[in-house]
Amino acid sequence: MPDTASTDGPPSFDDPFSGDDVEQRIYGTILQTREPSTASAIAERVECDPKTARKYLSWFSDLGIATRHDGHPTTYERNDAYFEWRRINQLAADHSIEELQARVHELTTRVAEYEDTYDAATPAAVDAVAMAEASDERTIDAVYSDLADWATAREERERYERARQQRASADGEQASG
């Protein structure tokens, strides 16, 4: 009986990079790496030669995608600053100054509402358990959800503001050039 399993659709969750070339598998692995890992460990995970892994990891390090930690052995990890920079550049490229300003304003309003609701300057300043116990209206899950949304809104506002500044700077240089 012939195999009629479809190859359409997403890759297996167990091995999402199985169809990719070695470079893509190493890239995907470094994106998932939260702790410094050796080239050998990454090579084992992507099923390639450690020398090949070192070559690509060195290249990703040169590009800023990965951070190289010299030592014995040398280790590599995802460079979160690179991805933050890339996200800001993409926001600046995809949105007008007006759109970026509107989003900053919207997020600033949301942050201010949370500051007023919880009478605190940051989500970290809120004792979630005490807040839930003192309220007949808010469960602990609702407070934690608010705090997570508040923290996300603060981070997103910072990103959009940086993108707005970048876009304004680039537009100013183009106008004067």
Side-chain angles (χ1 to χ4, degrees), residues 77-97:
E77 69 181 319
R78 172 189 163 120
N79 180 2
D80 289 330
Y82 167 83
F83 291 97
E84 181 73 6
W85 166 83
R86 197 168 141 191
R87 173 76 173 124
I88 290 165
N89 280 348
Q90 195 63 52
L91 287 170
D94 291 348
H95 300 283
S96 69
I97 290 175

Side-chain angles (χ1 to χ4, degrees), residues 50-129:
K51 185 175 179 182
T52 301
R54 273 194 254 345
K55 177 181 93 172
Y56 284 114
L57 289 166
S58 178
W59 184 56
F60 291 145
S61 178
D62 290 345
L63 292 174
I65 295 168
T67 301
R68 177 187 166 129
H69 301 283
D70 290 328
H72 297 289
T74 300
T75 57
Y76 300 86
E77 69 181 319
R78 172 189 163 120
N79 180 2
D80 289 330
Y82 167 83
F83 291 97
E84 181 73 6
W85 166 83
R86 197 168 141 191
R87 173 76 173 124
I88 290 165
N89 280 348
Q90 195 63 52
L91 287 170
D94 291 348
H95 300 283
S96 69
I97 290 175
E98 294 77 17
E99 291 170 328
L100 294 165
Q101 284 175 321
R103 185 67 175 148
V104 168
H105 179 71
E106 175 187 320
L107 292 164
T108 298
T109 300
R110 185 184 321 167
V111 166
E113 289 170 357
Y114 282 124
E115 290 171 350
D116 290 344
T117 298
Y118 289 97
D119 192 28
T122 66
V126 176
D127 181 339
V129 173

Side-chain angles (χ1 to χ4, degrees), residues 84 103-104 106-112 114-115 120-125 146-162:
E84 181 73 6
R103 185 67 175 148
V104 168
E106 175 187 320
L107 292 164
T108 298
T109 300
R110 185 184 321 167
V111 166
Y114 282 124
E115 290 171 350
T122 66
D146 281 354
L147 297 179
D149 183 57
W150 183 5
T152 300
R154 288 170 50 97
E155 292 169 6
E156 191 174 346
R157 178 180 63 180
E158 174 65 24
R159 259 186 232 107
Y160 273 82
E161 175 57 20
R162 288 176 58 197

